Amino acid sequence: MTTPVAPVARAAPDSSVAASAVAAHSDVPPTRGYVTALMFAATALTWGSSYLMMKYALVGISAGQVAVGRILLGALTLIAIMTITRRPWPRSRALWGHLTVVGIFQGIVPFSLFAWAGHYLPTGLSAILNGATPMFTALFTAIAVPAAALRGRQWFGIGLGAIGVMIVMGLWGVITDPAFGDSLVAQLAVIGATISYGVGFTYLRRMVTGRYRCDAVTLASVQVTMGAVAALAVSPVIAWGPMNLTPSVVASMLVLGCIGTGVAFTWNMRVVMTWGPVAASTVTYLQPVVGVGLGMLVLGETFAWYQGLGAVVVIAGVFLTQRPVRVR
């Protein structure tokens, strides 16, 4: 949406698996600077446009169908990459079990919440709220990993980010707008998705990082494949109903699943290996820019002043929660 390194727990939601490959694949051939920059830009554009793709997909299929279809297409894409590149699948049952947990918390749970919220929220607002993921990741990691205890500046960043999220949500609207409750539930669903991402990142850091010698593509393939298995298990409950598979719906799902949940992981992996995990993680800050811009240009969505202010506060909080990381 993966041997792993410590910064994995603070990487962008869709880049967690790729960010952990640095130590395992130090022998990757060097990449030209402009190629790395293009991969970085392509990753930001792909993940930032996922909210717009969900909007188009929701025209013909349900939120549950979007979530299940997205992760299935991503799994098929990564399995194809594993087959073409002749990578061996890991044999450790424990690793498969751990990555199943990660696949659930970074797959079907947040995908379902984001897709459902897409019925009620502008794409830009969903992208901005998703910027809270690194703060929840830092918080959960500090609880689960004693070596990653937060400092005073980071605690302040978490508090500041929480204030920013409340500004973006416009909580004062509860008093002045009787209909605000509908939007509030959808916004809370997005926050729930970011919490799920944070749990997944923390579990990956706690149970996988430094324990298994697998490259990013292999770990990503196991994670997304097992997430797809979990998605199929719950699909009779969340993915039922008629479908209207128009060309735009099919195209948006292919972009969302094959590229956004599959190929983009490999792009980000190369960026991490060339620039390092800290620089690569800044893709998180570009996603709201892409999401807001596409929402305004393509869908004609409006952008309230307090959402921009809240986005700045959230990003400031995210920066404060990050600690300097030494990269070999």
Side-chain angles (χ1 to χ4, degrees):
M1 188 247 271
T2 139
T3 17
V5 296
V8 171
R10 295 187 294 276
D14 281 314
S15 62
S16 62
V17 180
S20 58
V22 179
H25 257 196
S26 57
D27 58 342
V28 173
T31 305
R32 294 180 181 271
Y34 71 88
V35 175
T36 303
L38 288 175
M39 289 181 177
F40 181 83
T43 303
L45 181 61
T46 301
W47 290 340
S49 64
S50 63
Y51 312 98
L52 178 63
M53 295 298 102
M54 282 188 284
K55 279 285 188 182
Y56 280 119
L58 288 169
V59 173
I61 58 180
S62 67
Q65 291 165 350
V66 170
V68 173
R70 173 183 181 179
I71 197 168
L72 286 178
L73 289 171
L76 292 174
T77 302
L78 288 173
I79 291 173
I81 292 175
M82 288 285 291
T83 303
I84 293 172
T85 58
R86 298 183 178 180
R87 280 177 165 84
W89 291 87
R91 298 181 179 181
S92 171
R93 294 182 180 180
L95 177 59
W96 281 81
H98 292 320
L99 290 177
T100 298
V101 176
V102 177
I104 292 173
F105 281 104
Q106 291 190 343
I108 190 61
V109 173
F111 290 173
S112 298
L113 291 173
F114 272 122
W116 179 82
H119 280 296
Y120 309 98
L121 297 181
T123 59
L125 182 55
S126 295
I128 291 173
L129 290 173
N130 189 33
T133 298
M135 291 181 297
F136 288 115
T137 302
L139 177 61
F140 296 148
T141 302
I143 296 174
V145 184
L150 298 181
R151 302 167 183 172
R153 175 178 65 87
Q154 293 169 308
W155 282 113
F156 177 75
I158 290 177
L160 185 64
I163 294 175
V165 170
M166 289 188 287
I167 294 175
V168 171
M169 295 171 67
L171 290 183
W172 57 87
V174 175
I175 301 176
T176 60
D177 187 359
F180 186 81
D182 295 335
S183 175
L184 179 61
V185 173
Q187 294 181 58
L188 290 176
V190 174
I191 296 300
T194 64
I195 292 174
S196 181
Y197 277 133
V199 172
F201 285 133
T202 302
Y203 191 91
L204 184 66
R205 167 79 178 273
R206 176 76 176 180
M207 305 306 298
V208 178
T209 295
R211 299 190 180 193
Y212 303 94
R213 295 189 61 83
C214 296
D215 70 353
V217 175
T218 300
L219 291 178
S221 300
V222 175
Q223 173 186 328
V224 178
T225 299
M226 297 311 296
V229 172
L232 286 175
V234 299
S235 60
V237 178
I238 68 172
W240 58 274
M243 295 185 293
N244 182 20
L245 297 179
T246 63
S248 62
V249 172
V250 173
S252 61
M253 284 302 301
L254 289 175
V255 173
L256 192 61
C258 297
I259 301 178
T261 316
V263 177
F265 279 176
T266 64
W267 293 340
N268 190 64
M269 176 188 67
R270 297 303 297 243
V271 176
V272 171
M273 292 177 178
T274 306
W275 289 357
V278 176
S281 68
T282 58
V283 71
T284 303
Y285 310 136
L286 296 181
Q287 291 181 49
V289 177
V290 175
V292 171
L294 289 177
M296 296 176 66
L297 292 175
V298 179
L299 301 179
E301 297 174 348
T302 58
F303 189 65
W305 65 269
Y306 59 83
Q307 293 174 348
L309 174 61
V312 172
V313 175
V314 168
I315 292 174
V318 169
F319 272 113
L320 288 174
T321 59
Q322 305 304 300
R323 68 178 65 194
V325 179
R326 294 182 179 179
V327 182
R328 293 183 181 180

